Amino acid sequence: MQGAGVENKRIIILGAAGFIGKNLTARLLQEGYPLTLFDRPGGSYPAAVGQAAARGQVCLAEGNFGDPVPGLFDGLGEVDCVYHLISTTCPSNSNRDVAREMEENLVATIRFLDACVENRVKKVVFLSSGGTVYGKLHTGICREEEEAFPITSYGVQKLAIEKVLYLYHEMYGLEYRIVRLSNPYGPYQRPDGVQGVVSTFTYRALQGLPIAVYGDGSVVRDYIYIADAVEGILKIADGGKGHCLYNLGSGRGATVLDVIDGITRVLGKKPEVTFLPGRPVDVPVNVLDVTRFEKDFGTAAKVSLEEGIEKLVRFYQGEENV
């Protein structure tokens, strides 16, 4: 997204205080873009965001996504792009209250898209989920053209929002991009949260704490380092080349035990592992076919899993610029 006149472009990031949001914000700040950052009340940001706000490059807004946010578009003029990163649930804790989850995510997004149309937003980039929308009725290699049968409410929400974006494009001409992201990991991901096998395991191993594995560790996932994910998101946002939907991942599968082996090699010691019963929300194999992305934009994942773990270790040890 580099080029002349970046100071005249207007970008909104929804969910800017989250893991992906912080990394996307950092990258766009480096390139000089003025940003409006939105998240729930009490969201925390790296020091660089506060410094950018002090010099007028960043405007901070907060509220609950399901409620109208007064003034979010005020004074921005035409908004070039909105990055929609918000979700109030995650795969492991969805399905508990499907109606409420749909209200907080799908219905809230529809209301926000109405505001985008009203305020003449040029483009919406939506972070969908390559790990959940496809479900388990596939060969294990997930392609964009395949039918999707998610087995969690989280995946259903993401898929439904994808379809609504298509509808709003047909109805109002709203330009959009959909990024079906695999499993990102790296700096600013919560090591004590409910998502992020690589980050959580690496952090706990560094602290000498046991790692809990659901099932026998044979679940296969596609992991991508966050810097590669952000680079891919920006390429999709600016490109498209005939497509509005892209898988974004490494295109390679790794089992949970592979992740633990990688941590063991990086740290030089094997962490303690506790095996727990498997979970019904865990699809056995999920690897994204990134052929479409790589045909249009080049290599998706430049950082290998072990290299990413090494970078993450340095981040946890105090080296932020990784």
Side-chain angles (χ1 to χ4, degrees):
M1 297 187 65
Q2 298 179 352
V6 297
E7 69 279 358
N8 297 319
K9 291 183 178 291
R10 302 294 168 184
I11 294 173
I12 295 175
I13 301 178
L14 305 178
F19 163 47
I20 299 173
K22 286 177 180 175
N23 284 276
L24 178 62
T25 295
R27 171 65 183 273
L28 291 173
L29 285 179
Q30 290 174 359
E31 297 189 9
Y33 287 97
L35 305 175
T36 296
L37 307 181
F38 173 82
D39 215 305
R40 70 186 67 182
S44 63
Y45 296 94
V49 171
Q51 296 163 3
R55 62 177 181 266
Q57 187 182 353
V58 163
C59 175
L60 297 175
E62 62 180 27
N64 294 312
F65 182 54
D67 301 328
V69 184
L72 182 60
F73 293 99
D74 290 354
L76 294 180
E78 287 193 344
V79 174
D80 291 86
C81 187
V82 172
Y83 289 91
H84 180 354
L85 315 179
I86 286 181
S87 177
T88 65
T89 62
C90 68
S92 62
N93 65 20
S94 66
N95 294 355
R96 297 176 182 177
D97 188 342
V98 175
R100 180 180 59 81
E101 292 166 18
M102 292 297 173
E103 181 72 27
E104 291 178 347
N105 294 281
L106 174 59
V107 176
T109 294
I110 292 170
R111 290 176 179 146
F112 182 78
L113 292 179
D114 287 336
C116 288
V117 171
E118 181 181 348
N119 288 275
R120 299 179 182 177
V121 169
K122 294 179 181 178
K123 183 189 302 180
V124 174
V125 178
F126 175 58
L127 262 290
S128 188
S129 171
T132 64
V133 298
Y134 291 105
K136 58 184 180 182
L137 300 180
H138 55 75
T139 62
I141 306 298
C142 305
R143 300 172 177 85
E144 293 94 342
E145 60 270 17
E146 291 180 344
E147 285 194 81
F149 295 96
I151 62 172
T152 63
S153 170
Y154 179 88
V156 171
Q157 296 160 30
K158 295 290 191 180
L159 188 60
I161 292 170
E162 291 183 13
K163 301 303 183 184
V164 171
L165 282 165
Y166 174 79
L167 175 64
Y168 272 55
H169 175 71
E170 291 296 309
M171 291 173 61
Y172 305 113
L174 178 64
E175 189 176 353
Y176 70 95
R177 297 288 185 272
I178 295 165
V179 183
R180 287 183 177 171
L181 188 62
S182 65
N183 296 269
Y185 67 95
Y188 301 118
Q189 189 170 31
R190 285 185 58 184
D192 59 347
V194 294
Q195 284 184 291
V197 164
V198 179
S199 297
T200 300
F201 286 9
T202 301
Y203 180 80
R204 292 186 66 84
L206 275 170
Q207 300 299 314
L209 299 172
I211 290 170
V213 173
Y214 292 96
D216 61 3
S218 64
V219 166
V220 175
R221 291 293 180 268
D222 182 333
Y223 299 101
I224 184 169
Y225 188 66
I226 187 60
D228 286 338
V230 167
E231 179 72 21
I233 290 166
L234 295 178
K235 286 179 177 177
I236 291 169
D238 266 3
K241 300 188 178 181
H243 297 291
C244 292
L245 166 64
Y246 287 90
N247 284 339
L248 178 58
S250 69
R252 298 182 295 273
T255 67
V256 173
L257 295 181
D258 289 334
V259 173
I260 295 171
D261 287 344
I263 294 170
T264 299
R265 287 192 294 272
V266 170
L267 298 184
K269 60 180 180 179
K270 186 175 179 62
E272 178 185 345
V273 180
T274 301
F275 291 91
L276 302 175
R279 302 177 296 186
V281 296
D282 288 329
V283 174
V285 180
N286 180 275
V287 180
L288 298 187
D289 183 326
V290 293
T291 302
R292 177 181 293 182
F293 178 94
E294 295 193 334
K295 180 180 178 182
D296 287 352
F297 305 114
T299 302
K302 301 179 179 66
V303 177
S304 70
L305 180 58
E306 195 162 319
E307 290 169 339
I309 292 170
E310 290 174 350
K311 289 175 177 288
L312 189 55
V313 167
R314 295 202 301 272
F315 175 78
Y316 287 143
Q317 292 175 337
E319 300 177 26
E320 291 199 9
N321 297 320
V322 296

